Amino acid sequence: MAFRPLTARAPSVLLREAKPLKAIFGHAQRLGHLQRLLETQLQPAAREHCHVASWREGNLLLIVTDGHWATRLRYQQKRLQRQLMAFDEFASLTRIQFKVQPPTVQQGAVGHTINLSVNAAETIQATADGISDPGLRAALERLAAHAKPKP
């Protein structure tokens, strides 16, 4: 008896039919909706630093990227709670909790800036003019373009 693999199904079909996936997808959609409602009440600068983690039995758990934003949001907690309670989804809101959780992925590493003198740039450009390989020549010209402009 040979093993016969199951036929592949489209992801949209799996999300509609597979019960565990359907529950996870529904929960994710609900949290996304709550996040959009929360963002309407937050200051524009705070929106990227605050995310809905859970909403259960009147308790709203918000994940904040650092202590600075957690402190700022705690000062605004009463106002935020009043505004959120105006939405039907948050009508039973009794408590907002803030948890600090730094992002796991670095937000773009700070790269080394190139400080190139005008003399060095001219030397690199002169070298590039004498190169026949187009790739190397283009790379040297890009490097020479990083020179500090003359004051």
Side-chain angles (χ1 to χ4, degrees):
M1 181 173 190
F3 173 73
R4 188 168 163 214
L6 299 173
T7 57
R9 296 190 304 181
S12 59
V13 172
L14 287 174
L15 289 174
R16 280 194 311 262
E17 294 176 3
K19 294 219 187 286
L21 288 178
K22 186 177 181 180
I24 291 171
F25 184 65
H27 185 67
Q29 282 184 317
R30 187 171 146 251
L31 286 178
H33 176 67
L34 296 176
Q35 178 68 33
R36 286 187 297 278
L37 291 176
L38 173 69
E39 287 175 356
T40 64
Q41 303 306 314
L42 290 176
Q43 299 169 348
R47 290 177 185 156
E48 67 181 274
H49 300 283
C50 184
H51 303 283
V52 175
S54 70
W55 165 242
R56 200 174 296 131
E57 299 171 3
N59 291 326
L60 178 63
L61 176 61
L62 301 177
I63 299 295
V64 187
T65 58
D66 58 40
H68 164 77
W69 285 105
T71 301
R72 286 183 68 171
L73 290 168
R74 282 187 186 107
Y75 280 121
Q76 301 173 22
Q77 184 171 355
K78 296 244 186 259
R79 176 196 58 82
L80 184 61
Q81 185 172 346
R82 265 193 327 273
Q83 289 175 328
L84 288 176
M85 287 176 68
F87 295 112
D88 292 338
E89 291 84 347
F90 291 111
S92 63
L93 180 63
T94 58
R95 182 174 169 203
I96 299 176
Q97 288 182 287
F98 299 97
K99 297 283 181 172
V100 176
Q101 182 179 11
T104 55
V105 178
Q106 291 182 352
Q107 300 292 330
V110 177
H112 178 71
T113 57
I114 299 173
N115 295 324
L116 201 60
S117 69
V118 174
N119 290 338
E122 288 172 354
T123 304
I124 293 171
Q125 184 62 49
T127 305
D129 292 340
I131 301 292
S132 60
D133 180 39
L136 180 56
R137 182 181 185 140
L140 288 172
E141 288 172 345
R142 282 193 309 272
L143 181 60
H146 287 286
K148 293 179 184 175
K150 290 182 181 179

